[in-house]
Amino acid sequence: MPAPRVLYWFRTDLRLHDSPALAAALALHPSVLYPIWCWDSHYVYHARVGPNRWQFLLGCLEDVSRSLTILNPSSKLLVLREPAVTLLPKLFKAWGITHLVFEKDTDSYAKERDGKVMESARQAGVEVVVGPQSRTLWDSEEVVKANGGKPTMSITQLQAAGKKVGPIARPIDAPKSLPGPGETGLGGIEQTRPVVEEGVGDINAKYRSSDEASYSSGIAGPDGTFSVPTLEELGMKPATTHIRGGESVILARLSQILSNDEEWAATFEKPKTSPAAFEPQSTFLTSPYLHFGALSARYFYHRVEDIVEKRRAEKKAVSTPPVSLTGQLLFRDMYFAAQSAIGYPFGQTYNNAHFDIKTGLVTGGYEVDSAVKEQEFIRWREGRTGFPWIDAIMRQLKLEGWIHHLARHAVACFLTRGGCYISWERGAEVFEEWLVDHEAACNIGNWQWLSCTAFYSMFYRCYSPVAFGKKWDDNGDYIRKYVPELKDMPKKYIYEPHKAPLKDQREAGVMIKGDGSEADSDGIPLYPKPMFDFPTQRDICLAGMKNAYKVGLHGDHPKVLDGTWKELFPDEAEGPTEGRVGGPGGMTTFEDADGDEGHHEEPVAATPKRSGRQSKASRAPESAKKGGHKREHSQGTLDGAFVKKAKS
DNA sequence: CTGTCGTTGGGTCC
DNA sequence: GGACCCAACGACAG
């Protein structure tokens, strides 16, 4: 039997250390090994990916390529500018491939894609080896099985299930040698240009100079060498973050931190790390590396756990899950397993058996259909809500692609159940676009958590846009950094600048005025007034949440599926009404101290209905649409039991 | 049925 | 800085 000719397909495992899938490829004793990366049109067109994450990914690709070349000068990462689904069947033939090897991926989209690729491999007589899922501590499907087939909805469930699955695999070493690739001639293969999915559209077009740029240079790239592209080749606008991708970057930093300060690593408690810290931030910032597989979760886990065990033996203090460093990895596994169990509906309320409608109420569940809400959403996204703590966080996110976990809590709570009462799905999309560490399972899961849609339900625990930030950063240094127009505002007013007397505003060189759409007025920098009165809005949210919990609708309820659910929420169905208070969506009016008008500008035109939501739902496999975990709505509160007004 | 717990709240009082 | 209250969810153990 001739020696195997192996295609190793890198995806979200952009590393050489602790890669069981790569080890499986090498265990075949291949005569040639083609390390490839395929330009996935889903990532280019349909997933929301801004320049910062693109740049991070490119850094990871370059790093892997360099490491491959170190192992074998004739090897490097072959970047193929075409999606795997159309390209691989052609490559199998052109390169005489006998085996395709890749790491298992339980992400909803990845499962669908890999299924298609495996089918085409079967037809081509190519053997497929799916390596163990190693971006998590345990295999997500095994965790689900151990959890009785149900999604893991709490950290205790995850821990119990993980225990049943078994010990977390010890990391394996990077390979010491590597076969080179064979002939890389494309032998007349025609590039199949990816198609923008109808109804979904090219979400990232705004970041590219040309729709055609990404695939215009053919499969092998502009110089025909399968090079890692640049942002320019992608037609992408420049990135703004200082965060750089790459396995060697994170391994070096991890070693440095873990050996320099074992105590810190062993006693780490997430809730005690400051969301307001910058340069340096208060946490490791491993998340983007974990997402792209530049850092193995298992390697990270065991490096930390070894230190913890050592200190435990020395009778020194250590922290434990869920607050410890390893606890953070457990949460990640919890979300991966939940996503794996639920599939497509995980990313939405619609058709999701596990999630209540709740914060989707006022937004129609699937789209913002109120001009006021849309305006609030835009102001939240762009960091001009008039709440400096919220605005600083959103501006850091947009600029750097990363914010602290607790900062994510603050802005997510504010947008959903603790401020605007806008659907978590809108916020999740912004994070998806801007985060360098965006991980669908974790992002969706955390948004559901913060909006009290799933995983968490104590909606009366609400973050204040003033008090929470002050707790960490009384002087407001974080705000001064990311909202520079407030940099000279006295400490007394830094979290609530609209309360500053005109004299203080003048001395601080800023005027608190308007809605943030104007940067300055006659050369004087402007910072907006709060877009609503927070305490009033918080009460409205609490009342809405109480009502929503009482009704207890789930995403797979017939009335949700057929769109008639609004009948059950008469207050919300009417939409925002001027001056109405006591129901979610009521437009609040308030006047501030100096008697100026409040936040109401002319409402912008309502945005058109977004096609993405519905088409994503309709794209879900039939099994997912019909299956799922039907839940009894036994409370008998569907008719007329909603709460019209919260007791105050 | 009751009581307790849940990674990370806020405000007041001492 | 800690104790306690606020108004109160759902999961789980007993």
Side-chain angles (χ1 to χ4, degrees):
Chain A
M1 191 173 161
R5 299 173 62 83
V6 174
L7 207 58
Y8 185 79
W9 182 18
F10 279 98
R11 300 107 60 85
T12 46
D13 55 325
L14 298 177
R15 67 175 181 279
L16 299 193
H17 78 281
D18 188 33
S19 174
L22 182 58
L26 294 172
L28 295 167
H29 300 292
S31 57
V32 293
L33 185 130
Y34 294 91
I36 63 161
W37 167 269
C38 297
W39 236 206
D40 198 324
S41 58
H42 179 77
Y43 209 67
V44 175
Y45 295 138
H46 306 316
R48 290 162 202 275
V49 193
N52 284 340
R53 188 151 87 255
W54 268 113
Q55 178 185 266
F56 190 93
L57 165 63
L58 298 178
C60 291
L61 294 175
E62 279 164 11
D63 199 75
V64 160
S65 193
R66 273 194 299 271
S67 300
L68 291 168
T69 305
I70 290 170
L71 286 182
N72 183 333
S74 73
S75 186
K76 68 171 194 168
L77 186 67
L78 306 170
V79 175
L80 304 157
R81 288 140 174 91
E82 186 180 325
V85 171
T86 54
L87 177 65
L88 292 198
K90 296 179 287 190
L91 266 192
F92 293 151
K93 283 195 190 119
W95 290 353
I97 299 302
T98 61
H99 293 73
L100 170 68
V101 186
F102 56 85
E103 177 181 318
K104 177 175 168 178
D105 190 341
T106 52
D107 177 84
S108 308
Y109 165 75
K111 271 203 281 198
E112 189 179 302
R113 175 198 60 196
D114 295 350
K116 288 179 191 163
V117 167
M118 284 192 278
E119 175 57 22
S120 70
R122 195 187 59 78
Q123 285 174 11
V126 169
E127 197 177 316
V128 178
V129 177
V130 181
Q133 177 187 336
S134 71
R135 62 200 300 214
T136 49
L137 302 178
W138 294 283
D139 180 287
S140 296
E141 287 172 354
E142 282 184 42
V143 169
V144 173
K145 214 184 291 171
N147 196 45
K150 296 192 297 283
T152 44
M153 301 309 287
S154 73
I155 196 65
T156 44
Q157 276 179 25
L158 182 276
Q159 283 173 296
K163 212 170 177 181
K164 280 189 212 168
V165 173
I168 294 163
R170 296 288 314 187
I172 59 172
D173 290 337
K176 305 270 188 304
S177 65
L178 198 73
E183 183 55 42
T184 54
L186 289 172
I189 291 182
E190 293 276 320
Q191 184 192 39
T192 310
R193 283 293 185 94
V195 181
V196 175
E197 204 176 311
E198 208 178 317
V200 178
D202 180 0
I203 286 177
N204 300 309
K206 64 186 170 190
Y207 289 124
R208 291 196 302 274
S209 53
S210 158
D211 291 354
E212 293 294 306
S214 305
Y215 296 98
S216 61
S217 54
I219 293 169
D223 51 5
T225 60
F226 306 95
S227 58
V228 175
T230 58
L231 281 179
E232 295 76 56
E233 187 197 327
L234 278 160
M236 272 265 166
K237 290 178 183 169
T240 54
T241 185
H242 61 280
I243 301 169
R244 290 288 181 278
E247 177 187 19
S248 54
V249 175
I250 189 60
L251 287 185
R253 214 175 69 222
L254 200 62
S255 286
Q256 194 198 7
I257 295 168
L258 293 184
S259 52
N260 278 0
D261 203 343
E262 293 197 342
E263 181 181 359
W264 188 80
T267 60
F268 179 95
E269 290 182 56
K270 189 60 164 271
K272 291 185 182 168
T273 59
S274 170
F278 59 95
E279 288 169 16
Q281 72 284 346
S282 62
T283 52
F284 264 127
L285 220 162
T286 48
S287 45
Y289 304 92
L290 287 166
H291 168 67
F292 288 110
L295 173 64
S296 152
R298 295 166 180 193
Y299 173 84
F300 186 25
Y301 179 92
H302 282 293
R303 289 237 16 205
V304 172
E305 199 56 17
D306 287 351
I307 293 171
V308 168
E309 284 307 316
K310 194 181 98 187
R311 288 178 60 90
R312 209 175 250 144
E314 293 166 357
K315 304 252 187 280
K316 288 178 180 162
V318 295
S319 58
T320 52
V323 295
S324 65
L325 268 183
T326 55
Q328 309 314 299
L329 292 170
L330 294 174
F331 275 109
R332 206 168 148 270
D333 265 51
M334 176 183 83
Y335 290 130
F336 269 91
Q339 181 194 44
S340 159
I342 294 168
Y344 258 116
F346 183 65
Q348 58 202 23
T349 300
Y350 179 83
N351 196 34
N352 192 324
H354 288 271
F355 309 134
D356 297 336
I357 291 292
K358 293 171 188 164
T359 47
L361 299 179
V362 80
T363 66
Y366 315 116
E367 70 267 351
V368 172
D369 54 8
S370 140
V372 174
K373 288 288 130 187
E374 182 67 17
Q375 186 70 355
E376 285 178 7
F377 170 71
I378 291 167
R379 289 182 64 172
W380 172 85
R381 188 183 64 197
E382 304 301 329
R384 46 184 181 87
T385 64
F387 295 92
W389 169 244
I390 299 297
D391 292 343
I393 294 168
M394 292 308 294
R395 292 188 198 184
Q396 184 191 12
L397 169 61
K398 189 175 189 179
L399 184 73
E400 298 175 3
W402 183 89
I403 48 177
H404 185 277
H405 185 63
L406 290 181
R408 300 181 197 203
H409 279 215
V411 294
C413 180
F414 184 86
L415 182 74
T416 57
R417 66 177 169 86
C420 307
Y421 212 76
I422 286 172
S423 168
W424 66 268
E425 296 179 26
R426 298 300 309 271
E429 286 174 358
V430 173
F431 275 29
E432 178 185 355
E433 186 172 318
W434 288 350
L435 281 172
V436 290
D437 62 20
H438 173 256
E439 184 73 76
C442 301
N443 187 46
I444 291 164
N446 277 312
W447 271 96
Q448 287 165 353
W449 181 299
L450 265 301
S451 61
C452 289
T453 302
F455 297 102
Y456 186 78
S457 54
M458 293 183 279
F459 58 77
Y460 44 88
R461 290 204 167 169
C462 181
Y463 290 92
S464 157
V466 174
F468 187 64
K470 268 188 188 166
K471 184 169 98 182
W472 298 101
D473 177 17
D474 194 37
N475 191 47
D477 292 339
Y478 177 75
I479 293 169
R480 295 171 204 280
K481 158 87 176 173
Y482 292 102
V483 187
E485 59 268 39
L486 296 176
K487 68 178 171 17
D488 296 321
M489 185 59 71
K491 176 181 168 185
K492 189 179 172 187
Y493 303 113
I494 185 73
Y495 283 88
E496 297 175 283
H498 65 286
K499 289 187 176 171
L502 283 175
K503 180 178 163 287
D504 293 81
Q505 295 183 25
R506 212 163 20 238
E507 283 172 15
V510 63
M511 268 201 311
I512 311 304
K513 191 179 169 186
D515 65 359
S517 55
E518 308 276 342
D520 64 81
S521 168
D522 294 330
I524 300 167
L526 296 179
Y527 179 78
K529 292 183 171 181
M531 64 184 186
F532 46 57
D533 176 56
F534 179 75
T536 307
Q537 203 60 25
R538 183 183 172 278
D539 287 348
I540 289 169
C541 286
L542 279 174
M545 290 303 290
K546 197 171 166 182
N547 183 19
Y549 265 74
K550 195 153 195 171
V551 176
L553 263 194
H554 282 242
D556 63 341
H557 188 277
K559 284 193 177 297
V560 174
L561 296 180
D562 70 15
T564 60
W565 62 272
K566 282 187 183 181
E567 296 164 12
L568 302 172
F569 296 86
D571 271 7
E572 287 85 39
E574 289 160 13
T577 310
E578 188 74 50
R580 179 168 61 85
V581 174
M587 188 193 264
T588 62
T589 53
F590 88 101
E591 298 197 349
D592 39 289
D594 55 6
D596 264 359
E597 61 179 355
H599 65 291
H600 296 296
E601 305 299 320
E602 280 302 301
V604 296
T607 47
K609 288 191 176 185
R610 294 174 307 139
S611 54
R613 182 66 47 212
Q614 296 300 349
S615 84
K616 208 199 284 180
S618 62
R619 203 175 64 200
E622 275 309 303
S623 58
K625 283 185 193 168
K626 290 186 177 150
H629 308 266
K630 294 284 173 194
R631 187 168 140 164
E632 292 299 315
H633 302 283
S634 55
Q635 294 146 318
T637 53
L638 288 182
D639 296 309
F642 57 87
V643 179
K644 286 209 167 168
K645 209 172 251 189
K647 287 183 197 122
S648 54

